[in-house]
Amino acid sequence: MFSRAFRVRSNTAIKGSDRRKLRTDVAAAFPNLSAEQLTEFIPNKEELNVIKIHCHKGEAVTVYMNNRNPILFEIEKALYPTVYTLWVYPDLLPAFSTWPPVLQKLAGGADLMLPGVVVPSSGFPQVEQGTLCAVTLLGNRAPVAVALATMSTAEMLAAGMKGKGFAVLHTYMDHLWEYGDKSYPPTLAPLVTDSAEKESAEDEEEMEGKEPVISFSTDPLQHVDVGDLSLKEQDSCAGLMGREELHENRAAETAEDANTEVQQEAEDSRTPQEQMDALFNQCFFHALKCKVKKSDLPLLTSTFLRSHMFSCCPAGQQLDIKKSSYKKFSKFLQCMQHQKILQVKELNKGVESIVEVDWKHPDVKAFAVPEGFSSAAAAQDSKSEDREQVYHAPEIIPLYGVSTKMIPLFQESGHRKGSILSSSEVRNIIINYVKTNELVDETNKNFVKVNAILCDCLLDKSEQDEISHLKWDDLLSRCLERLQPLHQVTFFGQEPIVRKGNIEPIDITVAQRSSNKKVTIIKNLELYGLDPQCVANILQQKVQASATITPVPGTKDRVQVQIQGNQIHHLAKMLLEEYQLPRKYIQGLEKAPKLGRKK
């Protein structure tokens, strides 16, 4: 439900009477909470807020906030806890475990299928269809998802652990989690209540090798077809060890021989998606170890992918995020951030940058550069990177959001406030509306009759008594003007990003400094996937003039390129011809110096 961004409609504080009512509703929804826990959960004095949001499919959801974290969300008068709440009260709901790689799927909007559920030797908790449940990861009792059971426990077992088991409502790493402080799940040891589990755990500790302790019962129900799982590569998420146990029975061989055999089998049996995950991991660590330096930070994530990771890709292979299990490069980086390898921040609206890298992280230190990539070649690539990198101009598409005033005109076509449409979709909706309501003027088909809805939506108050007909072009242009402007940006190899408003152009200005010297200033390069430091280096080489990166006055974490002299001619050639950016997205080219004639 929260796998995509939502829109906040209102944010108000919860007062005394409403707070008491909420506490009563929580007590009824979660009877396991003691009176002390209930008072702690819904405190008397701490600030509580209620937020009304609309999800991407139009669902109206109420979210309750405490200490800037969402603690509850309400859908159709039913209350559900968030992961922040379940980390404080981990036993609030009956819990089912899954393997760590499945979390990325759940955060992306997938439901939990029964082949992905781990069957404990002590058995499942007894639930009925529609019971609210928590989903945990194997080895950690801290819930990472909230879901509704689609069948009872007995039906799950009778179905042979096949089919959809849980409809997922909310997960760690989704947009509702991002609305809070983005803290990580705590590490909570599983409750080992069954004697068989304790003995199994003790036996595991005595085994040779370095496999993690994962208990497997001899119960036949445990032999689930793991091939049904779409799991990521073992190193694509933190702690994803134990992949060998999913592909090979525990052999009565030495630990070293078993590990070698299972690893070879895993290599041979990987799906194309798992192979792409492994390739992304390889190129990621290779780029961090050989390409990126501390002085490069902050580094645009798009530049890191295009200029650093692509150059680390082995010959004959190509990185394609859409063929991986992540689907979005931001999700891949989020997983690496979860492992505390790096830190990503949105320094510019809608533009993420890598701001910190832990080069001492064990995974980075342990990575070995693949054969065929020498350190000397890597260093040479790094030096010539600015000159040789291939820049792909982003695809920019104007979009339109349905505003409050325009709802009556679009609701017949099934759209509501906030619906995002392209210009062609808007045009088709208007044409269908006019034809369905028989508003085409019979005497002159170039005109459309203005009915009450068109009058309210498209005409100003001063025009409503004067205009009874509109030309088609005027009708469509008025409609587009009254919709909320948006734009979609698609960078090479990445998923599209939708931002509010019209995209800001690359702004080029010429300023005068002391001693009548001029400098050229370039802003907003990041919005188009251009690394300001990279552009400064290239310009400095082209014009043989000093180029620096300086903060944009009046903003936080935004930078601009400043180069000596009026260099707009060189900039125009680079942006228009080399980078193939459309002229309409560049502002200030007219300020280029006029070339005088030689006498």
Side-chain angles (χ1 to χ4, degrees):
M1 173 170 287
F2 304 104
S3 60
R4 293 173 62 181
F6 52 77
R7 293 184 304 105
V8 177
R9 296 293 307 277
S10 64
N11 186 344
T12 56
I14 302 178
K15 297 182 180 180
S17 58
D18 294 332
R19 192 179 297 238
R20 288 190 293 273
K21 182 181 182 303
L22 177 61
R23 189 181 291 115
T24 302
D25 293 341
V26 170
F30 309 110
N32 292 340
L33 286 175
S34 65
E36 183 180 347
Q37 290 174 327
L38 197 60
T39 304
E40 179 186 40
F41 188 35
I42 310 295
N44 293 320
K45 295 183 179 180
E46 291 183 23
E47 182 180 357
L48 288 176
N49 290 75
V50 59
I51 296 174
K52 305 286 187 180
I53 66 172
H54 273 179
C55 296
H56 68 281
K57 290 185 178 180
E59 305 101 322
V61 181
T62 301
V63 179
Y64 296 94
M65 305 282 294
N66 183 8
N67 291 329
R68 295 183 298 176
N69 277 339
I71 56 171
L72 294 165
F73 60 98
E74 184 178 3
I75 306 170
E76 296 180 354
K77 298 184 179 180
L79 284 173
Y80 304 93
T82 67
V83 290
Y84 291 107
T85 294
L86 293 178
W87 293 342
V88 180
Y89 310 106
D91 303 319
L92 185 63
L93 303 176
F96 292 78
S97 291
T98 186
W99 285 278
V102 179
L103 173 60
Q104 198 72 26
K105 297 288 186 184
L106 303 183
D111 289 324
L112 180 57
M113 310 302 286
L114 288 177
V117 179
V118 179
V119 184
S121 59
S122 58
F124 282 141
Q126 296 300 312
V127 299
E128 297 298 324
Q129 181 179 356
T131 301
L132 186 61
C133 303
V135 179
T136 65
L137 299 182
L138 196 62
N140 189 357
R141 198 159 50 97
V144 294
V146 179
L148 292 171
T150 59
M151 58 181 80
S152 66
T153 302
E155 290 170 337
M156 293 179 193
L157 300 176
M161 297 304 290
K162 300 288 184 182
K164 186 200 295 188
F166 300 88
V168 176
L169 302 175
H170 156 57
T171 70
Y172 161 61
M173 292 197 302
D174 67 8
H175 285 272
L176 183 59
W177 168 81
E178 287 184 354
Y179 201 70
D181 62 12
K182 301 183 183 179
S183 54
Y184 299 130
T187 302
L188 304 177
L191 295 175
V192 182
T193 56
D194 189 77
S195 59
E197 286 188 22
K198 291 181 180 178
E199 292 176 5
S200 178
E202 291 173 359
D203 293 341
E204 289 289 338
E205 290 177 358
E206 295 175 1
M207 289 185 65
E208 294 182 1
K210 297 183 179 179
E211 295 94 354
V213 179
I214 303 178
S215 299
F216 283 85
S217 162
T218 56
D219 189 328
L221 286 174
Q222 289 230 43
H223 296 283
V224 184
D225 184 6
V226 182
D228 291 343
L229 289 172
S230 297
L231 301 184
K232 295 190 193 64
E233 176 61 14
Q234 58 185 4
D235 57 350
S236 67
C237 224
L240 303 189
M241 302 284 292
R243 179 183 177 80
E244 293 82 3
E245 287 85 343
L246 301 180
H247 295 281
E248 188 77 6
N249 294 327
R250 301 184 184 278
E253 302 172 2
T254 65
E256 183 177 354
D257 292 341
N259 286 344
T260 304
E261 181 181 344
V262 174
Q263 183 178 1
Q264 183 65 41
E265 181 177 339
E267 288 288 330
D268 297 338
S269 62
R270 290 185 306 176
T271 65
Q273 188 180 72
E274 290 171 334
Q275 293 176 27
M276 184 58 67
D277 286 347
L279 182 60
F280 260 90
N281 277 274
Q282 174 184 317
C283 295
F284 171 79
F285 287 110
H286 189 174
L288 284 188
K289 196 160 189 176
C290 301
K291 301 283 185 179
V292 181
K293 303 182 292 295
K294 190 172 183 179
S295 58
D296 295 332
L297 304 180
L299 177 67
L300 289 174
T301 57
S302 56
T303 301
F304 176 66
L305 174 65
R306 183 182 67 250
S307 302
H308 300 293
M309 287 183 60
F310 279 8
S311 62
C312 294
C313 193
Q317 299 188 57
Q318 186 174 0
L319 290 171
D320 188 344
I321 194 67
K322 292 183 180 179
K323 292 182 180 178
S324 74
S325 61
Y326 304 98
K327 304 305 178 188
K328 294 182 180 181
F329 189 54
S330 60
K331 292 287 186 183
F332 173 80
L333 291 179
Q334 196 173 52
C335 191
M336 294 303 165
Q337 182 170 260
H338 176 56
Q339 298 182 50
K340 300 183 179 179
I341 296 173
L342 49 70
Q343 187 175 0
V344 177
K345 283 187 178 180
E346 190 176 295
L347 300 183
N348 221 348
K349 189 175 181 181
V351 181
E352 292 187 332
S353 298
I354 298 171
V355 297
E356 188 177 332
V357 176
D358 182 10
W359 277 281
K360 294 182 180 179
H361 192 281
D363 291 349
V364 178
K365 294 175 71 175
F367 178 79
V369 177
E371 294 181 6
F373 287 93
S374 66
S375 57
Q380 182 63 30
D381 287 344
S382 181
K383 289 179 181 178
S384 60
E385 199 169 26
D386 287 343
R387 298 191 303 272
E388 295 180 357
Q389 67 170 326
V390 178
Y391 171 76
H392 297 270
E395 181 186 6
I396 302 170
I397 302 174
L399 297 175
Y400 302 89
V402 177
S403 58
T404 304
K405 186 176 181 180
M406 300 293 283
I407 291 175
L409 185 53
F410 285 84
Q411 62 186 5
E412 284 190 14
S413 56
H415 296 89
R416 59 184 67 192
K417 183 180 178 181
S419 297
I420 299 175
L421 306 166
S422 65
S423 57
S424 59
E425 289 174 327
V426 173
R427 180 184 180 88
N428 291 335
I429 290 170
I430 296 301
I431 291 174
N432 290 335
Y433 177 84
V434 170
K435 290 182 177 179
T436 302
N437 291 275
E438 298 179 351
L439 297 178
V440 179
D441 193 318
E442 297 176 356
T443 58
N444 187 346
K445 294 187 178 181
N446 291 326
F447 285 86
V448 174
K449 292 182 286 186
V450 177
N451 65 359
I453 290 178
L454 290 178
C455 179
D456 291 340
C457 294
L458 304 181
L459 299 183
D460 296 331
K461 288 185 178 180
S462 59
E463 299 174 321
Q464 292 180 356
D465 295 331
E466 301 175 359
I467 298 177
S468 59
H469 292 74
L470 287 172
K471 285 186 176 182
W472 277 104
D473 291 343
D474 191 17
L475 176 71
L476 294 171
S477 62
R478 283 173 179 262
C479 183
L480 293 176
E481 288 172 1
R482 284 160 173 78
L483 293 172
Q484 181 185 5
L486 307 164
H487 65 277
Q488 174 182 288
V489 182
T490 307
F491 294 105
F492 180 73
Q494 299 188 42
E495 287 292 306
I497 302 170
V498 177
R499 301 173 183 157
K500 290 183 179 180
N502 297 312
I503 188 168
E504 295 181 62
I506 294 176
D507 184 34
I508 303 172
T509 56
V510 177
Q512 193 160 326
R513 297 293 187 253
S514 59
S515 302
N516 204 28
K517 290 183 179 180
K518 293 181 179 179
V519 294
T520 304
I521 300 171
I522 311 106
K523 302 176 186 176
N524 300 330
L525 290 168
E526 304 97 324
L527 300 180
Y528 297 82
L530 288 167
D531 186 354
Q533 185 64 61
C534 179
V535 172
N537 294 343
I538 295 173
L539 277 174
Q540 185 167 325
Q541 293 175 7
K542 284 180 178 291
V543 303
Q544 295 298 304
S546 174
T548 58
I549 301 295
T550 59
V552 177
T555 64
K556 290 183 178 180
D557 302 318
R558 294 188 63 176
V559 297
Q560 60 189 15
V561 176
Q562 182 173 297
I563 186 165
Q564 288 182 354
N566 188 330
Q567 307 297 349
I568 294 182
H569 278 307
H570 295 283
L571 266 172
K573 184 177 181 181
M574 184 172 73
L575 297 175
L576 297 175
E577 298 177 16
E578 295 179 25
Y579 291 164
Q580 298 291 307
L581 283 167
R583 182 178 287 268
K584 63 182 178 180
Y585 297 126
I586 305 172
Q587 178 179 286
L589 294 180
E590 70 280 357
K591 298 169 186 175
K594 295 181 180 179
L595 300 176
R597 295 181 182 178
K598 293 184 179 179
K599 295 183 179 179

